[in-house]
Amino acid sequence: MSTGQEQRTIRCLVAKVGLDGHDRGAHVIARAFRDAGFEVIYSGLHRAPEEIVQAAVQEDVDVLGISILSGAHNTLVPKVIEGLKSYGAFENTLVLVGGIVPDEDRADLKEAGVAEVFGPGTPMSETIDFVREHVDR
């Protein structure tokens, strides 16, 4: 019996898109999200944008965290967002980007639909708080 006060667990997909082979940051954020009580799925390395979209839709995630260090964010992230939109999943998915993103590219990513970009050295608590404040449960 539900009282209506219970909140379900936040479901997150931490994704590595493209040819970027560095996943230490993705593992660190996945562990921090788990420790914060989130349910976390990790995509593994070298995923195509469509694979990420499929996983996000099939797993019905609240948060899609894309970890990218390759410099291909301006190409790959919009493809993921367009894919989410094509499935009608974008409106219910908080899209975050973490990694190496030059300041001049952040506005374009946000315009494309990214909720926030987290660079190297961002405190885990800041990212976790952002998710808790912005996920629509």
Side-chain angles (χ1 to χ4, degrees):
M1 185 164 18
S2 176
T3 62
Q5 299 297 317
E6 297 155 22
Q7 292 188 326
R8 64 181 182 79
T9 302
I10 294 174
R11 292 175 57 85
C12 306
L13 172 61
V14 175
K16 291 295 298 183
V17 65
L19 300 177
D20 175 6
H22 300 279
D23 64 350
R24 184 169 160 260
H27 284 287
V28 168
I29 197 68
R31 182 176 308 261
F33 279 3
R34 268 191 210 104
D35 290 348
F38 302 164
E39 191 175 323
V40 180
I41 301 134
Y42 173 57
S43 72
L45 288 170
H46 309 302
R47 298 293 178 228
E50 182 59 25
E51 289 178 291
I52 299 304
V53 170
Q54 288 291 326
V57 170
Q58 289 171 7
E59 296 290 346
D60 191 27
V61 297
D62 303 300
V63 181
L64 171 55
I66 301 170
S67 171
I68 195 156
L69 302 165
S70 66
H73 48 270
N74 288 333
T75 304
L76 297 173
V77 173
K79 285 183 181 176
V80 171
I81 290 171
E82 288 308 310
L84 289 172
K85 287 178 179 177
S86 74
Y87 283 95
F90 175 72
E91 293 301 321
N92 298 322
T93 307
L94 183 70
V95 179
L96 308 175
V97 172
I100 309 294
V101 177
D103 289 342
E104 59 268 20
D105 293 344
R106 290 174 183 239
D108 290 340
L109 289 175
K110 286 187 172 185
E111 196 170 299
V114 172
E116 190 58 82
V117 178
F118 297 97
T122 302
M124 288 299 157
S125 59
E126 185 179 316
T127 308
I128 290 163
D129 289 346
F130 186 90
V131 168
R132 285 191 173 128
E133 289 168 22
H134 292 88
V135 164
D136 182 19
R137 295 194 267 182

